[in-house]
Amino acid sequence: MRHHHAGSLSPAKPAGSDWRVMQSLTPYMRGYQLRMVGVLLCLLMAKLANVGTPMVLKDLVDHFGSSRELWVMPVVLLLCYAALRVGVTLFTALREFLSDRVTHHIVRASALEVFNKLHALSLRFHLSRQTGGLTRDVERGTRGISTLINFVLFSILPTLVEIVLVGIVLISRYDWTFFAITLSTLVLYIAYTILITEWRTNFRKQMNELDSKANARAIDSLLNYETVKYFGNEQYEARRYDESMARWERAAVKSQTTLSVLNVGQSFIIALGVTLMMWRAVAGVMAGKMSVGDLVLVNAFMIQLYLPLNFLGVMYREIKQALADMERMFALSREQSEVADKPDARSFNDPQVAVCFDKVSFHYDAKRPILHEVSFTIPAGKSVAVVGASGSGKSTLARLLYRFYDVSAGAISLNGNDIRHLMQAEVRASMGIVPQDTVLFNDSIRYNIAYGRPTASEAEIEQAVKAAAMDKFIAQLPDGMDTQVGERGLKLSGGEKQRVAIARCVLKSPAILVFDEATSALDTHTEKQIQAELKNIAHNRTSLIIAHRLSTVIDCDEILVMHEGRIVERGAHQALLNLNGHYAQMWALQEKDLS
């Protein structure tokens, strides 16, 4: 089984777009300007030493070529040569040391900004995107930043500085043709590399996509191992996998062949350039205008210039990929928050809260309305239950109260304040929820309970554990509160997970409680136990109870019956039974199921 390779390129973007992506990095460099100046100075010093090395070598060769026997000169030149070589290494190392902190700071700051942005985006955005895809976008984007900075600072910029320095030396010392040949060779080399890399990108992209498909097919087949065995389809699966791998093989061969075309062409251009330079140098030596040292100098310059260009194809492709990945990541930080605080949003932290839904209508999609002019009030400290068939809009009420979405029409208010004019964070801080399916962090029981209020003391956590009747269960565990719950809490049973959710809610000590079908996934015995605990924590708190099983809401101050997004009946349990309508029918059906 093969793994997916990074490196497939996104569709071509205009150059201006690439430039904008690079400009996106500048805000993260604030406070590091002095360090960046140091990086550029080290780069210049390293390149001056690099260009100076062949010049000392030329003097050394010329000295031995002359009749003078003075030994002091070669020793001085050798020491200079050694100092320049060490200088190149030292300044390069210092440049890396100075730039590392800047690179890592930019990666950290940009990743944090996108992470915060993702938490600020609405639930609608997250339901429409794969979480794995989002994390990969951020991961690739941050890796792209490192790639771009490293290639620009350690490959492209140094090579450009060296070209300029070599150009200055060639123009000032020799015939103009030397610089003309060097420049022409470089331009031809770069143009050829970019042209061929663009051409072979399609083959590489095709190879990566086919590789991914083959890999996905293999994983899918192995995940469905039992199904494959049930139907005896091992050979069928092997054929399907081999067909995918055969297509990958053809694309991989094309990719490798085009790489050979790139390498041969690059070698030919360099060989042509070096040959022309040597021809001019040899002609200069024979004419007596140049020394043997000059011949060595020109040759050394050529090798130094063309050596980093060997990786130009890879660099070009990686930079294009890095820019595409960065563009995807920065696009996330530019996403508009659907639900945002108004500039004049007010603070809210009332200990007693009355909730009012006033003619609330809502739709995810205009063609499919969910709620139609829903109105009800939950007085402070009272409980209101909402019951109805699946899809009647019950859970949408909780999502709107939490302001995961804004209402399409009407208003929701807390103590007479429209929640759209209050700070989201404070509105949510005043609420606690026990959902139908409690999803826990892959950490200890203590961590998951303390998540309700991370600053809580150990004594407060223990109090919450007792309130949720978890103390006996925890006492039986070998690791007690430090027991790991597993991914999404899978090591705990449904009832145990709900008790963690209750403890977490108790610890948060909210003014408003929301039970969103908190016991519907449990068996009858566990449900009765947890129902008692929910009743205790809901005492004297404003509570919205969304329920499927009617037996859990008998004691509520008011029961609302929803049907197709509308409240069709309301009242206490007995009054609703006497109406002999929707509620009475639901009650009769559930009583029948229990008998």
Side-chain angles (χ1 to χ4, degrees):
M1 192 183 352
R2 295 184 54 79
H3 295 285
H4 173 56
H5 297 293
S8 63
L9 294 177
S10 61
K13 302 194 305 298
S17 170
D18 287 344
W19 179 242
R20 274 197 303 278
V21 172
M22 286 191 269
Q23 281 181 312
S24 302
L25 297 178
T26 49
Y28 304 112
M29 290 188 187
R30 285 192 195 110
Y32 287 88
Q33 291 94 328
L34 205 63
R35 196 173 268 263
M36 288 308 293
V37 169
V39 168
L40 295 173
L41 279 174
C42 288
L43 190 152
L44 185 62
M45 295 302 290
K47 284 301 154 192
L48 283 169
N50 210 30
V51 169
T53 308
M55 294 173 78
V56 172
L57 195 63
K58 165 207 154 18
D59 289 341
L60 204 57
V61 170
D62 285 344
H63 178 81
F64 283 118
S66 68
S67 55
R68 287 170 296 171
E69 291 296 321
L70 190 65
W71 60 270
V72 178
M73 192 66 178
V75 171
V76 171
L77 288 171
L78 276 170
L79 288 172
C80 284
Y81 183 82
L84 287 168
R85 279 271 173 220
V86 170
V88 170
T89 310
L90 278 176
F91 283 118
T92 303
L94 189 58
R95 179 190 68 191
E96 287 175 9
F97 168 75
L98 288 171
S99 67
D100 271 355
R101 178 167 288 190
V102 184
T103 306
H104 292 127
H105 169 76
I106 291 170
V107 167
R108 173 188 158 197
S110 58
L112 179 64
E113 187 178 312
V114 176
F115 181 78
N116 284 333
K117 181 70 182 183
L118 288 174
H119 276 297
L121 291 173
S122 71
L123 184 63
R124 193 194 306 264
F125 172 86
H126 285 280
L127 292 176
S128 66
R129 295 288 295 267
Q130 279 187 308
T131 308
L134 287 176
T135 55
R136 275 197 302 275
D137 280 348
V138 176
E139 185 192 333
R140 284 177 185 149
T142 52
R143 198 167 56 226
I145 291 171
S146 288
T147 302
L148 183 70
I149 293 173
N150 287 331
F151 277 139
V152 169
L153 281 184
F154 302 138
S155 299
I156 295 171
L157 208 55
T159 305
L160 288 174
V161 170
E162 192 157 356
I163 289 167
V164 170
L165 292 174
V166 167
I168 291 167
V169 173
L170 291 177
I171 287 170
S172 61
R173 285 187 168 225
Y174 308 115
D175 192 322
W176 65 270
T177 53
F178 284 95
F179 182 65
I181 293 166
T182 306
L183 198 62
S184 303
T185 308
L186 284 169
V187 170
L188 188 62
Y189 184 97
I190 291 166
Y192 176 80
T193 302
I194 289 173
L195 204 70
I196 298 295
T197 303
E198 282 286 350
W199 169 58
R200 67 180 297 266
T201 287
N202 296 321
F203 299 117
R204 187 179 172 80
K205 186 178 178 183
Q206 198 181 15
M207 180 186 93
N208 286 340
E209 281 171 0
L210 290 167
D211 179 34
S212 285
K213 278 181 187 170
N215 194 31
R217 190 160 277 183
I219 289 170
D220 196 35
S221 178
L222 293 172
L223 286 174
N224 289 293
Y225 171 83
E226 289 178 41
T227 311
V228 174
K229 288 288 179 193
Y230 289 150
F231 293 97
N233 279 344
E234 294 90 344
Q235 287 307 310
Y236 171 70
E237 288 296 326
R239 271 197 310 277
R240 284 177 75 225
Y241 181 59
D242 191 45
E243 280 166 18
S244 296
M245 289 304 291
R247 283 196 291 275
W248 168 82
E249 184 185 351
R250 286 193 291 274
V253 169
K254 277 183 192 170
S255 179
Q256 197 56 44
T257 307
T258 54
L259 179 63
S260 301
V261 170
L262 177 66
N263 290 337
V264 169
Q266 285 175 330
S267 299
F268 176 76
I269 292 166
I270 289 175
L272 182 67
V274 171
T275 305
L276 288 170
M277 287 288 275
M278 287 298 98
W279 164 65
R280 292 298 301 128
V282 168
V285 172
M286 289 176 75
K289 292 177 185 174
M290 291 171 70
S291 64
V292 176
D294 288 319
L295 191 72
V296 171
L297 176 67
V298 168
N299 188 48
F301 273 166
M302 288 302 96
I303 292 166
Q304 278 183 200
L305 276 185
Y306 294 136
L307 206 60
L309 292 180
N310 278 335
F311 305 103
L312 184 65
V314 175
M315 265 193 291
Y316 177 72
R317 194 179 64 243
E318 289 290 330
I319 286 172
K320 288 266 288 184
Q321 182 62 52
L323 287 166
D325 289 342
M326 284 163 64
E327 171 60 34
R328 271 196 297 273
M329 185 177 85
F330 287 130
L332 288 174
S333 64
R334 289 194 300 272
E335 279 278 346
Q336 292 300 307
S337 295
E338 188 183 328
V339 177
D341 281 341
K342 291 183 186 296
D344 59 347
R346 294 193 301 277
S347 184
F348 182 82
N349 56 0
D350 297 357
Q352 286 286 304
V353 183
V355 177
C356 179
F357 277 64
D358 182 23
K359 293 184 179 174
V360 169
S361 294
F362 178 72
H363 56 254
Y364 297 103
D365 179 350
K367 294 173 190 168
R368 193 170 153 254
I370 307 288
L371 299 177
H372 306 271
E373 296 197 345
V374 171
S375 295
F376 65 90
T377 300
I378 316 173
K382 299 295 181 183
S383 60
V384 167
V386 183
V387 299
S390 182
S392 60
K394 304 189 302 290
S395 291
T396 304
L397 296 175
R399 286 178 166 182
L400 291 174
L401 185 58
Y402 258 86
R403 214 180 158 210
F404 286 155
Y405 304 98
D406 274 332
V407 297
S408 308
I412 300 170
S413 57
L414 305 180
N415 286 351
N417 300 293
D418 189 324
I419 61 170
R420 286 169 295 189
H421 299 132
L422 300 173
M423 289 182 184
Q424 286 177 77
E426 293 187 3
V427 166
R428 289 177 192 143
S430 68
M431 297 181 201
I433 188 163
V434 180
Q436 177 180 1
D437 180 26
T438 299
V439 176
L440 303 179
F441 290 94
N442 190 359
D443 209 306
S444 65
I445 290 175
R446 176 185 281 102
Y447 175 86
N448 277 285
I449 292 172
Y451 201 79
R453 186 156 48 90
T455 54
S457 67
E458 192 64 31
E460 287 171 317
I461 293 170
E462 282 173 21
Q463 210 173 338
V465 165
K466 280 183 185 141
M470 282 188 77
D471 39 351
K472 284 180 187 170
F473 159 64
I474 286 168
Q476 291 167 358
L477 298 169
D479 296 327
M481 292 278 277
D482 296 317
T483 303
Q484 297 294 306
V485 302
E487 198 167 328
R488 295 173 68 86
L490 291 176
K491 289 184 183 175
L492 301 184
S493 71
E496 288 155 4
K497 281 203 291 186
Q498 290 308 75
R499 283 196 170 91
V500 171
I502 293 165
R504 192 156 67 182
C505 203
V506 168
L507 194 63
K508 188 178 183 183
S509 191
I512 304 163
L513 282 172
V514 179
F515 301 145
D516 188 0
E517 305 208 17
T519 59
S520 65
L522 307 175
D523 60 80
T524 314
H525 175 67
T526 311
E527 182 187 33
K528 283 203 171 102
Q529 287 181 318
I530 285 180
Q531 202 57 45
E533 285 132 32
L534 291 178
K535 204 170 173 182
N536 287 336
I537 69 161
H539 185 62
N540 283 339
R541 290 182 201 268
T542 308
S543 309
L544 175 64
I545 299 159
I546 294 152
H548 174 68
R549 290 183 192 160
L550 305 186
S551 56
T552 62
V553 300
I554 295 170
D555 300 328
C556 288
D557 296 304
E558 188 179 26
I559 299 166
L560 309 175
V561 183
M562 288 194 73
H563 180 67
E564 293 180 354
R566 289 182 170 85
I567 296 174
V568 290
E569 293 171 9
R570 63 175 79 208
H573 170 70
Q574 195 56 50
L576 288 172
L577 284 182
N578 295 341
L579 274 177
N580 211 17
H582 284 273
Y583 186 83
Q585 282 179 335
M586 288 164 68
W587 181 261
L589 279 170
Q590 289 192 14
E591 286 283 284
K592 190 178 167 188
D593 287 343
L594 289 169
S595 59

